[in-house]
Amino acid sequence: EAGVTQSPTHLIKTRGQQATLRCSPISGHTSVYWYQQALGLGLQFLLWYDEGEERNRGNFPPRFSGRQFPNYSSELNVNALELEDSALYLCASSLSGALTGELFFGEGSRLTVL
Amino acid sequence: AQKVTQAQTEISVVEKEDVTLDCVYETRDTTYYLFWYKQPPSGELVFLIRRNSFDEQNEISGRYSWNFQKSTSSFNFTITASQVVDSAVYFCALSVPPFSGGYNKLIFGAGTRLAVHP
């Protein structure tokens, strides 16, 4: 069974540009989570999607947005990129959004903003 | 507010040594879940264990063991007879389920980088 897949693996952008990151959850999982792992800041919760709806978001500005498609895959968009957006963006999926079960993480997309 | 503290930034041991990774959490909720994840160099986080707040039994899985103590708000992780393959960053995390009024997200500690040398 395929795990959580993310693309692209690496992405290089310049300040002010937009970045789009993609995530495919494990088959059967309806919840998708996005986390940012920036150097020195640890893992920060970004967004949670379940059944196509945004259920919760972390303390990030509105230029971080995303969506979940009918097939439960998800996209994270970061507009007006800033240097501090450089980070590893991790996507995770789970069977339900209740977090009684574990999250399954992908290998991440490393975004570098120059 | 919820918070997870992993005071050890980096730990270096020699193979076969035992090592304990500390985790202290803060929450006012009576119902919560605690997790440990391992992040090898490949980047993906690998789930190791989940413990709910009503289950204080310690758990052992092979060389791994976990000590959950509500009295000290700690959920420590011990690797016995460490191996080079254990080298990774280990994260402790806390979740407060939505039914207790919290947000449905994992709150991670800063992580502890474990280096096991041959």
Coordinates of all heavy atoms in Angstrom, one line a residue, chain B residues 10-94:
Chain B
E10 N 20.2 17.7 21.8 CA 21.0 16.7 21.1 C 21.5 15.7 22.2 O 21.9 16.2 23.2 CB 22.1 17.3 20.3 CG 21.7 18.1 19.1 CD 22.9 18.4 18.2 OE1 23.8 17.6 18.1 OE2 22.9 19.5 17.7
I11 N 21.5 14.5 21.8 CA 22.1 13.5 22.7 C 23.0 12.6 21.8 O 22.7 12.2 20.7 CB 21.1 12.6 23.3 CG1 20.1 13.4 24.2 CG2 21.7 11.5 24.2 CD1 19.0 12.5 24.8
S12 N 24.2 12.3 22.3 CA 25.2 11.5 21.6 C 25.5 10.3 22.5 O 25.9 10.5 23.6 CB 26.4 12.3 21.2 OG 27.3 11.5 20.5
V13 N 25.4 9.1 22.0 CA 25.7 7.9 22.8 C 26.5 7.0 21.9 O 26.5 7.1 20.6 CB 24.5 7.2 23.3 CG1 23.7 8.1 24.2 CG2 23.6 6.7 22.2
V14 N 27.1 6.0 22.5 CA 27.8 4.9 21.8 C 26.9 3.7 21.8 O 26.1 3.5 22.7 CB 29.1 4.6 22.5 CG1 29.8 3.4 21.8 CG2 30.0 5.8 22.6
E15 N 27.0 3.0 20.7 CA 26.1 1.9 20.5 C 26.1 1.0 21.7 O 27.1 0.8 22.4 CB 26.7 1.0 19.3 CG 25.6 0.6 18.3 CD 26.2 -0.1 17.1 OE1 27.4 -0.3 17.0 OE2 25.3 -0.5 16.3
K16 N 24.9 0.4 22.0 CA 24.6 -0.4 23.1 C 24.4 0.3 24.4 O 24.0 -0.4 25.4 CB 25.7 -1.5 23.3 CG 25.9 -2.4 22.1 CD 26.9 -3.5 22.4 CE 27.1 -4.4 21.1 NZ 28.1 -5.4 21.3
E17 N 24.6 1.6 24.4 CA 24.2 2.3 25.6 C 22.7 2.5 25.6 O 22.0 2.5 24.6 CB 24.8 3.7 25.6 CG 26.2 3.8 26.0 CD 26.7 5.3 26.1 OE1 25.9 6.1 26.6 OE2 27.8 5.5 25.6
D18 N 22.1 2.6 26.8 CA 20.7 3.0 27.0 C 20.6 4.5 27.0 O 21.5 5.2 27.5 CB 20.2 2.4 28.3 CG 20.2 0.9 28.4 OD1 20.5 0.3 27.4 OD2 20.0 0.4 29.5
V19 N 19.5 5.0 26.4 CA 19.3 6.4 26.4 C 17.8 6.8 26.6 O 16.9 6.0 26.1 CB 19.8 7.0 25.0 CG1 19.0 6.3 23.8 CG2 19.6 8.5 25.0
T20 N 17.6 7.8 27.4 CA 16.2 8.2 27.7 C 16.0 9.7 27.2 O 16.8 10.6 27.4 CB 16.0 8.2 29.2 OG1 16.0 6.9 29.7 CG2 14.6 8.8 29.5
L21 N 15.0 9.8 26.4 CA 14.6 11.1 25.9 C 13.4 11.6 26.7 O 12.4 11.0 26.9 CB 14.1 10.9 24.4 CG 15.1 10.2 23.5 CD1 14.6 10.1 22.1 CD2 16.5 10.8 23.5
D22 N 13.6 12.9 27.2 CA 12.6 13.4 28.1 C 11.5 14.2 27.3 O 11.8 14.9 26.3 CB 13.3 14.4 29.1 CG 14.3 13.6 30.0 OD1 14.1 12.4 30.2 OD2 15.2 14.3 30.4
C23 N 10.3 14.2 27.9 CA 9.2 14.9 27.3 C 8.3 15.4 28.5 O 7.9 14.6 29.3 CB 8.4 14.1 26.3 SG 6.9 14.9 25.7
V24 N 8.1 16.7 28.5 CA 7.2 17.3 29.5 C 6.1 18.0 28.8 O 6.4 18.8 27.9 CB 8.0 18.2 30.5 CG1 7.0 18.9 31.4 CG2 9.0 17.4 31.3
Y25 N 4.9 17.8 29.2 CA 3.8 18.5 28.5 C 3.0 19.3 29.4 O 3.0 19.1 30.7 CB 2.9 17.5 27.8 CG 2.3 16.5 28.8 CD1 1.0 16.8 29.3 CD2 2.9 15.3 29.2 CE1 0.4 15.9 30.2 CE2 2.3 14.5 30.1 CZ 1.1 14.7 30.6 OH 0.5 13.9 31.5
E26 N 2.3 20.3 28.9 CA 1.4 21.1 29.6 C 0.0 21.2 28.9 O -0.1 21.4 27.8 CB 1.9 22.6 29.7 CG 3.2 22.7 30.5 CD 3.7 24.2 30.4 OE1 2.9 25.1 30.3 OE2 4.9 24.4 30.4
T27 N -1.0 20.9 29.7 CA -2.4 21.1 29.2 C -3.3 21.1 30.4 O -3.0 20.5 31.4 CB -2.8 20.0 28.3 OG1 -4.1 20.2 27.8 CG2 -2.7 18.6 28.9
R28 N -4.4 21.9 30.3 CA -5.4 21.9 31.4 C -6.5 20.9 31.1 O -7.3 20.6 32.0 CB -6.0 23.3 31.5 CG -5.0 24.3 31.9 CD -5.7 25.7 32.0 NE -4.7 26.7 32.4 CZ -5.0 28.0 32.4 NH1 -6.2 28.5 32.0 NH2 -4.1 28.9 32.8
D29 N -6.5 20.3 30.0 CA -7.5 19.3 29.6 C -7.2 18.0 30.4 O -6.1 17.6 30.6 CB -7.5 19.0 28.1 CG -7.9 20.2 27.4 OD1 -7.0 21.0 27.0 OD2 -9.1 20.4 27.1
T30 N -8.3 17.3 30.7 CA -8.2 16.0 31.4 C -8.1 14.9 30.4 O -7.6 13.8 30.7 CB -9.3 15.8 32.3 OG1 -10.6 15.9 31.6 CG2 -9.3 16.8 33.5
T31 N -8.5 15.1 29.2 CA -8.5 14.1 28.1 C -7.5 14.6 27.0 O -7.7 15.7 26.5 CB -9.9 13.9 27.5 OG1 -10.8 13.5 28.5 CG2 -9.8 12.8 26.4
Y32 N -6.5 13.8 26.8 CA -5.5 14.2 25.8 C -4.8 12.9 25.3 O -4.9 11.9 25.9 CB -4.6 15.3 26.3 CG -3.9 14.9 27.6 CD1 -2.7 14.2 27.7 CD2 -4.5 15.4 28.8 CE1 -2.2 13.9 28.9 CE2 -3.9 15.1 30.0 CZ -2.8 14.3 30.1 OH -2.2 14.0 31.3
Y33 N -4.0 13.1 24.2 CA -3.2 12.0 23.7 C -1.8 12.5 23.6 O -1.5 13.6 23.3 CB -3.7 11.6 22.4 CG -5.1 10.9 22.4 CD1 -6.3 11.7 22.3 CD2 -5.2 9.5 22.5 CE1 -7.5 11.1 22.4 CE2 -6.4 8.9 22.6 CZ -7.6 9.7 22.5 OH -8.8 9.1 22.6
L34 N -0.9 11.6 23.9 CA 0.5 11.8 23.7 C 1.1 10.9 22.7 O 0.7 9.7 22.6 CB 1.2 11.6 25.1 CG 0.9 12.6 26.2 CD1 1.3 12.1 27.5 CD2 1.4 14.0 25.9
F35 N 2.1 11.4 22.0 CA 2.7 10.6 20.9 C 4.2 10.8 20.9 O 4.7 11.8 21.4 CB 2.2 11.1 19.5 CG 0.7 11.1 19.3 CD1 -0.1 12.1 19.8 CD2 0.1 10.1 18.5 CE1 -1.5 12.0 19.6 CE2 -1.2 10.1 18.2 CZ -2.0 11.0 18.8
W36 N 4.8 9.8 20.3 CA 6.2 9.9 20.0 C 6.4 9.5 18.5 O 5.8 8.6 18.0 CB 7.1 9.0 20.8 CG 7.6 9.5 22.1 CD1 7.0 9.3 23.3 CD2 8.7 10.4 22.4 NE1 7.6 10.0 24.3 CE2 8.7 10.6 23.8 CE3 9.7 10.9 21.6 CZ2 9.7 11.5 24.3 CZ3 10.6 11.7 22.1 CH2 10.6 12.0 23.5
Y37 N 7.1 10.4 17.8 CA 7.4 10.2 16.4 C 9.0 10.2 16.2 O 9.7 10.9 16.9 CB 6.9 11.3 15.5 CG 5.4 11.1 15.3 CD1 4.4 11.6 16.1 CD2 4.9 10.5 14.1 CE1 3.1 11.5 15.9 CE2 3.6 10.4 13.8 CZ 2.7 10.9 14.7 OH 1.3 10.8 14.5
K38 N 9.4 9.4 15.2 CA 10.8 9.4 14.9 C 11.0 10.0 13.5 O 10.2 9.7 12.6 CB 11.3 7.9 14.8 CG 12.7 7.7 14.3 CD 13.1 6.2 14.3 CE 14.5 6.0 13.8 NZ 14.8 4.5 13.8
Q39 N 11.9 10.9 13.3 CA 12.2 11.4 12.0 C 13.6 11.1 11.6 O 14.6 11.7 11.9 CB 12.0 13.0 12.0 CG 12.1 13.6 10.6 CD 11.9 15.1 10.6 OE1 12.3 15.8 11.5 NE2 11.2 15.6 9.6
P40 N 13.7 10.0 10.7 CA 15.1 9.7 10.2 C 15.5 10.7 9.2 O 14.7 11.6 8.8 CB 14.8 8.3 9.6 CG 13.4 8.3 9.3 CD 12.7 9.2 10.3
P41 N 16.7 10.6 8.7 CA 17.2 11.6 7.7 C 16.3 11.7 6.5 O 16.4 12.7 5.8 CB 18.6 11.0 7.3 CG 19.0 10.3 8.6 CD 17.8 9.7 9.1
S42 N 15.6 10.7 6.1 CA 14.7 10.8 5.0 C 13.6 11.9 5.1 O 13.1 12.3 4.1 CB 14.0 9.4 4.7 OG 13.2 9.1 5.8
G43 N 13.3 12.3 6.3 CA 12.4 13.4 6.5 C 11.0 13.0 7.0 O 10.4 13.7 7.7
E44 N 10.5 11.8 6.6 CA 9.2 11.5 7.0 C 9.1 11.2 8.5 O 10.1 10.6 9.1 CB 8.6 10.3 6.2 CG 9.3 9.0 6.5 CD 8.8 7.9 5.5 OE1 7.6 7.5 5.7 OE2 9.5 7.6 4.6
L45 N 8.1 11.5 9.2 CA 7.9 11.2 10.6 C 7.3 9.8 10.7 O 6.3 9.5 10.0 CB 7.0 12.2 11.3 CG 7.8 13.5 11.6 CD1 7.2 14.6 10.9 CD2 7.8 13.7 13.1
V46 N 7.8 9.0 11.5 CA 7.3 7.6 11.7 C 6.7 7.5 13.1 O 7.3 7.8 14.1 CB 8.5 6.6 11.6 CG1 8.0 5.2 11.9 CG2 9.2 6.7 10.2
F47 N 5.5 7.1 13.1 CA 4.7 7.0 14.4 C 5.4 5.9 15.2 O 5.6 4.8 14.7 CB 3.3 6.7 14.1 CG 2.5 6.2 15.2 CD1 1.9 7.1 16.1 CD2 2.2 4.8 15.4 CE1 1.1 6.7 17.1 CE2 1.5 4.4 16.5 CZ 0.9 5.3 17.3
L48 N 5.5 6.1 16.5 CA 6.1 5.1 17.4 C 5.0 4.7 18.4 O 4.9 3.5 18.6 CB 7.3 5.7 18.2 CG 8.5 6.0 17.3 CD1 9.6 6.6 18.2 CD2 9.0 4.8 16.6
I49 N 4.3 5.6 19.0 CA 3.4 5.2 20.1 C 2.4 6.3 20.3 O 2.7 7.5 20.1 CB 4.1 4.9 21.4 CG1 3.1 4.3 22.4 CG2 4.8 6.2 22.0 CD1 3.8 3.8 23.7
R50 N 1.2 5.9 20.7 CA 0.2 6.8 21.2 C -0.3 6.4 22.6 O -0.4 5.2 22.8 CB -1.0 6.8 20.2 CG -2.2 7.7 20.7 CD -3.5 7.4 19.9 NE -4.1 6.1 20.2 CZ -4.2 5.1 19.3 NH1 -3.7 5.2 18.1 NH2 -4.7 4.0 19.7
R51 N -0.5 7.3 23.4 CA -1.0 7.0 24.8 C -2.1 8.0 25.1 O -1.9 9.2 25.0 CB 0.2 7.1 25.8 CG -0.1 6.9 27.2 CD -0.7 5.5 27.5 NE 0.4 4.6 27.6 CZ 0.4 3.4 26.9 NH1 -0.6 3.1 26.1 NH2 1.4 2.6 27.1
N52 N -3.2 7.5 25.7 CA -4.2 8.5 26.1 C -4.0 8.8 27.6 O -3.4 8.0 28.3 CB -5.6 8.0 25.8 CG -6.1 6.9 26.7 OD1 -6.1 7.0 27.9 ND2 -6.6 5.8 26.1
S53 N -4.6 9.9 28.0 CA -4.4 10.4 29.4 C -4.9 9.5 30.5 O -4.6 9.7 31.6 CB -5.0 11.8 29.5 OG -6.3 11.8 29.1
F54 N -5.8 8.6 30.1 CA -6.3 7.7 31.1 C -5.6 6.4 31.3 O -5.9 5.6 32.1 CB -7.8 7.4 30.8 CG -8.6 8.7 30.8 CD1 -9.1 9.2 29.7 CD2 -8.9 9.3 32.0 CE1 -9.9 10.4 29.6 CE2 -9.7 10.5 32.0 CZ -10.1 11.0 30.8
D55 N -4.6 6.2 30.5 CA -3.8 5.0 30.5 C -2.4 5.3 30.9 O -1.6 5.6 30.1 CB -3.9 4.3 29.1 CG -3.1 3.0 29.1 OD1 -2.6 2.6 30.2 OD2 -3.0 2.4 28.0
E56 N -2.1 5.1 32.2 CA -0.8 5.4 32.7 C 0.2 4.2 32.7 O 1.3 4.2 33.2 CB -0.8 6.0 34.1 CG -1.3 7.4 34.1 CD -1.0 8.1 35.4 OE1 0.1 8.4 35.7 OE2 -2.0 8.3 36.2
Q57 N -0.3 3.1 32.1 CA 0.6 1.9 32.1 C 1.8 2.2 31.2 O 1.6 2.7 30.1 CB -0.2 0.7 31.4 CG -0.9 -0.2 32.5 CD -1.3 -1.5 31.8 OE1 -1.8 -1.5 30.7 NE2 -1.1 -2.6 32.5
N58 N 2.9 1.8 31.7 CA 4.1 1.9 30.8 C 4.1 0.8 29.8 O 3.4 -0.2 29.9 CB 5.4 1.8 31.7 CG 5.5 2.9 32.6 OD1 5.1 4.1 32.3 ND2 6.1 2.7 33.8
E59 N 4.7 1.1 28.7 CA 4.7 0.2 27.6 C 6.1 -0.1 27.1 O 7.0 0.7 27.1 CB 3.9 0.8 26.4 CG 3.8 -0.1 25.2 CD 2.6 0.2 24.3 OE1 1.6 0.9 24.8 OE2 2.6 -0.1 23.1
I60 N 6.3 -1.4 26.7 CA 7.6 -1.8 26.1 C 7.3 -2.4 24.8 O 6.4 -3.2 24.6 CB 8.2 -2.9 27.1 CG1 8.5 -2.2 28.4 CG2 9.5 -3.4 26.5 CD1 9.1 -3.2 29.5
S61 N 8.1 -2.1 23.8 CA 8.0 -2.6 22.5 C 9.5 -2.9 22.0 O 10.2 -2.0 21.6 CB 7.3 -1.7 21.6 OG 7.3 -2.2 20.2
G62 N 9.9 -4.1 22.2 CA 11.3 -4.5 21.8 C 12.3 -3.7 22.7 O 12.2 -3.8 23.9
R63 N 13.1 -2.9 22.0 CA 14.1 -2.1 22.7 C 13.6 -0.8 23.2 O 14.3 0.0 23.9 CB 15.3 -1.9 21.8 CG 16.1 -3.2 21.4 CD 17.3 -2.8 20.6 NE 17.0 -2.2 19.3 CZ 17.2 -0.9 19.1 NH1 17.8 -0.1 20.0 NH2 16.9 -0.4 17.9
Y64 N 12.3 -0.5 22.8 CA 11.7 0.8 23.2 C 10.8 0.6 24.4 O 10.1 -0.3 24.5 CB 10.9 1.3 22.0 CG 11.6 1.7 20.7 CD1 10.9 2.0 19.6 CD2 13.0 1.8 20.7 CE1 11.5 2.3 18.4 CE2 13.6 2.1 19.5 CZ 12.9 2.4 18.4 OH 13.6 2.7 17.2
S65 N 10.8 1.6 25.2 CA 9.9 1.6 26.4 C 9.5 3.1 26.7 O 10.3 4.0 26.4 CB 10.5 1.0 27.6 OG 11.6 1.7 28.0
W66 N 8.3 3.2 27.2 CA 7.8 4.6 27.5 C 7.3 4.6 28.9 O 6.6 3.7 29.4 CB 6.6 4.9 26.5 CG 7.1 5.1 25.1 CD1 7.5 6.3 24.5 CD2 7.2 4.1 24.1 NE1 7.9 6.1 23.2 CE2 7.7 4.7 22.9 CE3 7.0 2.7 24.1 CZ2 8.0 4.1 21.7 CZ3 7.2 2.0 22.9 CH2 7.7 2.7 21.7
N67 N 7.6 5.7 29.6 CA 7.2 5.9 31.0 C 6.3 7.2 31.0 O 6.8 8.3 30.8 CB 8.4 6.1 31.8 CG 8.1 6.2 33.3 OD1 7.0 6.7 33.7 ND2 9.0 5.8 34.1
F68 N 5.0 6.9 31.3 CA 4.0 8.0 31.3 C 3.7 8.3 32.8 O 3.2 7.4 33.5 CB 2.8 7.6 30.5 CG 1.6 8.6 30.6 CD1 1.9 10.0 30.7 CD2 0.3 8.2 30.5 CE1 0.8 10.9 30.8 CE2 -0.7 9.1 30.5 CZ -0.5 10.4 30.7
Q69 N 3.9 9.5 33.2 CA 3.6 9.9 34.6 C 2.8 11.2 34.6 O 3.4 12.2 34.4 CB 4.9 10.0 35.4 CG 5.7 8.7 35.6 CD 6.6 8.7 36.8 OE1 6.8 9.7 37.4 NE2 7.1 7.5 37.2
K70 N 1.6 11.1 34.9 CA 0.7 12.2 34.9 C 1.1 13.2 36.1 O 0.9 14.4 35.9 CB -0.8 11.8 35.1 CG -1.4 11.3 33.8 CD -2.8 10.9 34.0 CE -3.8 12.0 34.0 NZ -5.2 11.6 33.9
S71 N 1.6 12.6 37.2 CA 1.9 13.5 38.3 C 3.0 14.5 38.0 O 3.0 15.6 38.6 CB 2.4 12.6 39.5 OG 3.5 11.8 39.1
T72 N 3.9 14.1 37.1 CA 4.9 15.0 36.7 C 4.7 15.5 35.2 O 5.6 16.2 34.7 CB 6.3 14.4 36.8 OG1 6.3 13.1 36.0 CG2 6.6 14.0 38.2
S73 N 3.6 15.2 34.6 CA 3.3 15.6 33.2 C 4.5 15.2 32.3 O 5.0 16.0 31.5 CB 3.0 17.1 33.1 OG 1.9 17.4 33.9
S74 N 4.9 14.0 32.5 CA 6.0 13.5 31.6 C 5.7 12.3 30.9 O 4.9 11.4 31.3 CB 7.3 13.3 32.5 OG 7.1 12.3 33.4
F75 N 6.3 12.1 29.7 CA 6.1 11.0 28.9 C 7.5 10.7 28.2 O 7.7 11.0 27.1 CB 5.1 11.3 27.8 CG 4.7 10.1 27.0 CD1 4.5 8.8 27.5 CD2 4.4 10.2 25.6 CE1 4.1 7.8 26.8 CE2 4.0 9.1 24.8 CZ 3.9 7.9 25.4
N76 N 8.3 10.0 29.0 CA 9.7 9.8 28.6 C 9.9 8.5 27.8 O 9.1 7.5 28.0 CB 10.6 9.7 29.8 CG 10.7 11.1 30.5 OD1 10.3 12.1 30.0 ND2 11.0 11.0 31.8
F77 N 10.8 8.5 26.9 CA 11.1 7.4 26.0 C 12.5 6.9 26.2 O 13.4 7.7 26.1 CB 10.9 8.0 24.6 CG 11.2 7.1 23.4 CD1 11.1 5.7 23.5 CD2 11.7 7.7 22.2 CE1 11.4 4.9 22.4 CE2 12.0 6.8 21.1 CZ 11.9 5.5 21.2
T78 N 12.6 5.6 26.4 CA 13.9 5.0 26.6 C 14.2 4.0 25.5 O 13.4 3.1 25.2 CB 14.0 4.3 28.0 OG1 13.8 5.3 29.0 CG2 15.3 3.6 28.2
I79 N 15.4 4.1 24.9 CA 15.9 3.1 24.0 C 17.0 2.3 24.7 O 18.0 2.8 25.2 CB 16.5 3.7 22.7 CG1 15.4 4.6 22.1 CG2 17.0 2.7 21.8 CD1 15.9 5.4 20.9
T80 N 16.8 1.0 24.8 CA 17.7 0.1 25.4 C 18.7 -0.5 24.4 O 18.3 -0.8 23.3 CB 17.0 -1.0 26.1 OG1 16.0 -0.5 27.0 CG2 17.9 -2.0 26.9
A81 N 19.9 -0.5 24.8 CA 20.9 -1.1 23.8 C 20.8 -0.4 22.5 O 20.5 -1.1 21.5 CB 20.8 -2.6 23.7
S82 N 21.1 0.9 22.5 CA 20.9 1.7 21.2 C 21.7 1.1 20.1 O 22.8 0.5 20.3 CB 21.3 3.1 21.5 OG 22.6 3.2 22.0
Q83 N 21.2 1.4 18.9 CA 21.9 1.0 17.7 C 22.1 2.2 16.8 O 21.3 3.2 16.9 CB 21.1 -0.1 17.0 CG 20.9 -1.4 17.8 CD 20.0 -2.4 17.1 OE1 19.5 -2.2 16.0 NE2 19.7 -3.5 17.8
V84 N 23.0 2.1 15.8 CA 23.2 3.2 14.9 C 22.0 3.6 14.1 O 21.7 4.7 13.9 CB 24.4 2.8 13.9 CG1 24.5 3.9 12.8 CG2 25.7 2.7 14.7
V85 N 21.1 2.6 13.8 CA 19.9 2.9 13.1 C 18.9 3.7 13.9 O 17.9 4.2 13.4 CB 19.2 1.5 12.6 CG1 20.0 0.9 11.6 CG2 18.9 0.6 13.8
D86 N 19.1 3.8 15.2 CA 18.3 4.6 16.0 C 18.6 6.1 15.9 O 17.8 7.0 16.4 CB 18.4 4.3 17.5 CG 18.0 2.8 17.8 OD1 17.0 2.3 17.2 OD2 18.6 2.2 18.7
S87 N 19.6 6.4 15.2 CA 20.0 7.8 15.0 C 18.9 8.5 14.2 O 18.6 8.1 13.1 CB 21.3 8.0 14.3 OG 22.4 7.4 15.0
A88 N 18.3 9.6 14.8 CA 17.2 10.3 14.2 C 16.8 11.4 15.1 O 17.4 11.6 16.2 CB 16.0 9.4 14.0
V89 N 15.9 12.2 14.7 CA 15.3 13.2 15.5 C 14.0 12.6 16.1 O 13.2 12.1 15.3 CB 15.0 14.6 14.8 CG1 14.4 15.6 15.8 CG2 16.3 15.1 14.2
Y90 N 13.8 12.7 17.4 CA 12.6 12.2 18.0 C 11.7 13.3 18.5 O 12.2 14.2 19.2 CB 13.0 11.2 19.1 CG 13.6 10.0 18.6 CD1 15.0 9.9 18.4 CD2 12.9 8.8 18.4 CE1 15.6 8.7 17.9 CE2 13.5 7.7 17.9 CZ 14.8 7.6 17.7 OH 15.4 6.5 17.2
F91 N 10.4 13.2 18.2 CA 9.5 14.3 18.6 C 8.4 13.7 19.5 O 7.9 12.6 19.2 CB 8.8 14.8 17.4 CG 9.7 15.7 16.5 CD1 10.3 15.1 15.4 CD2 9.8 17.0 16.7 CE1 11.1 15.9 14.6 CE2 10.6 17.8 15.9 CZ 11.3 17.2 14.8
C92 N 8.2 14.4 20.5 CA 7.1 14.1 21.4 C 5.9 15.1 21.0 O 6.2 16.2 20.6 CB 7.5 14.4 22.9 SG 6.2 14.0 24.1
A93 N 4.7 14.6 21.1 CA 3.6 15.5 20.6 C 2.4 15.3 21.5 O 2.2 14.2 22.1 CB 3.2 15.2 19.2
L94 N 1.6 16.3 21.6 CA 0.3 16.3 22.4 C -0.8 16.6 21.5 O -0.7 17.5 20.6 CB 0.5 17.4 23.5 CG -0.7 17.8 24.3 CD1 -1.2 16.7 25.2 CD2 -0.5 19.1 25.1

